[in-house]
Amino acid sequence: RRCPRGEYPPCRFVMGAHRFVMGARESVVVPEASRRELSEAVLAVAEVPEVSRRKLDAAERAVVEAPEGFRNYESSERQALVERTYMLQHVNQTFDFVQSRHSKWLNFDRAEMTILEAIELLDGLVDDSDPDTALPNSIHDFQTAERIRADFPGEEHDWFHLVGLLHDVGKICALWGEQQWAAVGDTFAVGCKFSDKIVFAEQMRLNADSQHPVYSTEHGIYRPGCGINELTLSWGHDEYMYRVLVNAGCTIPAAGLAMVRFHSFYPWHTGGSYMEFMNSESDEELLKWVRVFNRYDLYSKSDAVPDVEALKPYYQGLLQKYRIGGIVKF
């Protein structure tokens, strides 16, 4: 197998490149309760440094609406492709479908490689749901990281730099056979009534869950105040990469993990939906961080292409610092 830049970089071979486990295979699925315990354990590892929290207050005040030209879902040059991708996502992403993807992907038996090797593979992926850019996702990862690093310089904020690099790496599942509509694009909650803030919201009436006796109700399977982490979201790269990091023992602060997990959850962090499920001041702080991150995710798409090779040593150092510098299971 080859990617647009030639052979995959050398690493540990088992079956194909990067220890790929070719094809689907049956294996024991980790119970959801066990995954939740693991998630909670990792979230408790590291808090956001106080200096970063003070910086957040200033950054939050600077958050503005996306300028004209970003998230244009009406007349972009990629309109037909973007709209078709979302139609497939909205019709197919039911609660049961999401559960099937958890069973398929959360055994972490697809590949073993370093994070930088995974990012290099993203040279071969252009996001079909993105109206703003046709650049490979590997470039966007470094653009986002460097824009954050410029505004949040210093070691005390280096975990935030790393989040910029990591946030879209989960899209790698689209290179391993996952359909793009189940890997990219905005996310939304399943198991309760669909928000009218979902992009192309009119498409949601074609989703079978819109007629489900429980999943179509206001709160569905959840209770108000249950906590935003308790929601099951449509399947995509956000949840996948978050779970990969948790499984690997990544020690970036909880706010950083939330940025990875929720950065595509636009109906929540930008549309204001699902607020009734938030349950604490910690949820409020996570929302602030996700909103600040969103600015860098969006606006970095117009930045110049960075010198990736020159940047790799810095980011490899951060990967080591936060305990994901070696081989990671995907």
Side-chain angles (χ1 to χ4, degrees), residues 198-239:
I198 297 171
V199 65
F200 301 118
E202 69 280 358
Q203 297 174 349
M204 301 308 300
R205 62 184 174 81
L206 300 176
N207 185 300
D209 283 359
S210 67
Q211 305 299 318
H212 191 279
V214 176
Y215 302 157
S216 64
T217 60
E218 193 69 29
H219 299 139
I221 62 175
Y222 312 109
R223 58 176 177 79
C226 64
I228 206 69
N229 279 302
E230 293 301 308
L231 299 186
T232 297
L233 303 187
S234 54
W235 179 250
H237 67 283
D238 303 48
E239 186 72 17

Side-chain angles (χ1 to χ4, degrees), residues 18 26 38 41 48 96 98 119 127 130 233 256 290 296 315:
H18 297 103
E26 295 297 323
L38 176 61
V48 174
D96 288 346
V98 173
I119 290 172
D127 187 334
D130 194 336
L233 303 187
V290 173
Y296 296 99
Y315 287 101

Side-chain angles (χ1 to χ4, degrees), residues 47-54 155-157 159 253 289 322:
E47 294 297 326
V48 174
E50 184 59 34
V51 64
S52 294
R53 190 171 283 112
R54 291 196 298 271
E155 184 178 357
E156 64 270 28
H157 308 304
W159 61 273
W289 276 113
Y322 293 101

Side-chain angles (χ1 to χ4, degrees), residues 180-192:
Q180 280 224 20
W181 55 262
V184 304
D186 293 3
T187 58
F188 51 89
V190 295
C192 64

Side-chain angles (χ1 to χ4, degrees), residues 105-120:
W105 290 100
L106 298 185
N107 296 301
F108 310 109
D109 57 2
R110 295 286 160 169
E112 297 179 13
M113 66 184 78
T114 69
I115 295 294
L116 290 181
E117 287 167 346
I119 290 172
E120 187 164 342

Side-chain angles (χ1 to χ4, degrees), residues 31-308:
E32 183 63 30
S34 297
R35 295 199 197 103
R36 184 172 295 124
E37 288 174 5
L38 176 61
S39 173
E40 290 170 351
V42 171
L43 288 175
V45 166
E47 294 297 326
V48 174
E50 184 59 34
V51 64
S52 294
R53 190 171 283 112
R54 291 196 298 271
K55 182 82 170 178
L56 167 65
D57 293 336
E60 186 189 17
R61 290 193 292 271
V63 172
V64 295
E65 294 296 322
E68 186 176 352
F70 286 97
R71 288 184 63 81
N72 173 9
Y73 290 106
E74 296 180 355
S75 58
S76 77
E77 293 181 358
R78 310 181 79 224
Q79 182 68 23
L81 175 62
V82 171
E83 193 163 350
R84 182 168 64 251
T85 301
Y86 273 110
M87 173 64 82
L88 290 168
Q89 181 197 80
H90 292 162
V91 169
N92 290 291
Q93 289 254 15
T94 63
F95 183 85
D96 288 346
F97 173 84
V98 173
Q99 296 303 306
S100 75
R101 260 29 192 185
H102 287 191
S103 296
K104 178 178 180 179
W105 290 100
L106 298 185
N107 296 301
F108 310 109
D109 57 2
R110 295 286 160 169
E112 297 179 13
M113 66 184 78
T114 69
I115 295 294
L116 290 181
E117 287 167 346
I119 290 172
E120 187 164 342
L121 291 187
L122 291 176
D123 284 356
L125 179 69
V126 176
D127 187 334
D128 287 349
S129 73
D130 194 336
D132 300 327
T133 184
L135 284 173
N137 258 250
S138 57
I139 300 299
H140 171 60
D141 289 345
F142 280 98
Q143 286 177 321
T144 305
E146 284 297 285
R147 177 69 79 93
I148 293 169
R149 185 181 175 190
D151 285 358
F152 284 76
E155 184 178 357
E156 64 270 28
H157 308 304
D158 61 8
W159 61 273
F160 195 9
H161 312 165
L162 185 57
V163 169
L165 186 73
L166 294 171
H167 76 285
D168 273 351
V169 177
K171 292 180 182 179
I172 197 170
C173 66
L175 300 177
W176 297 335
E178 187 62 276
Q179 298 291 326
Q180 280 224 20
W181 55 262
V184 304
D186 293 3
T187 58
F188 51 89
V190 295
C192 64
K193 183 179 179 180
F194 296 127
S195 166
D196 61 1
K197 301 301 182 181
I198 297 171
V199 65
F200 301 118
E202 69 280 358
Q203 297 174 349
M204 301 308 300
R205 62 184 174 81
L206 300 176
N207 185 300
D209 283 359
S210 67
Q211 305 299 318
H212 191 279
V214 176
Y215 302 157
S216 64
T217 60
E218 193 69 29
H219 299 139
I221 62 175
Y222 312 109
R223 58 176 177 79
C226 64
I228 206 69
N229 279 302
E230 293 301 308
L231 299 186
T232 297
L233 303 187
S234 54
W235 179 250
H237 67 283
D238 303 48
E239 186 72 17
Y240 181 46
M241 192 59 193
Y242 164 75
R243 300 292 190 111
V244 166
L245 294 174
V246 169
N247 186 64
C250 179
T251 58
I252 61 175
L257 292 175
M259 292 174 196
V260 174
R261 191 179 200 181
F262 298 125
H263 69 273
S264 299
F265 194 15
Y266 275 86
W268 174 56
H269 64 64
T270 300
S273 296
Y274 311 111
M275 295 299 176
E276 67 272 22
F277 298 119
M278 295 172 63
N279 72 349
S280 64
E281 291 183 6
S282 62
D283 272 359
E284 293 287 350
E285 182 169 333
L286 293 182
L287 176 58
K288 291 177 182 179
W289 276 113
V290 173
R291 283 174 168 167
V292 169
F293 173 80
N294 175 248
R295 182 178 61 193
Y296 296 99
D297 186 17
L298 275 179
Y299 307 163
S300 63
K301 294 175 183 177
S302 61
D303 290 352
V305 175
D307 184 346
V308 169

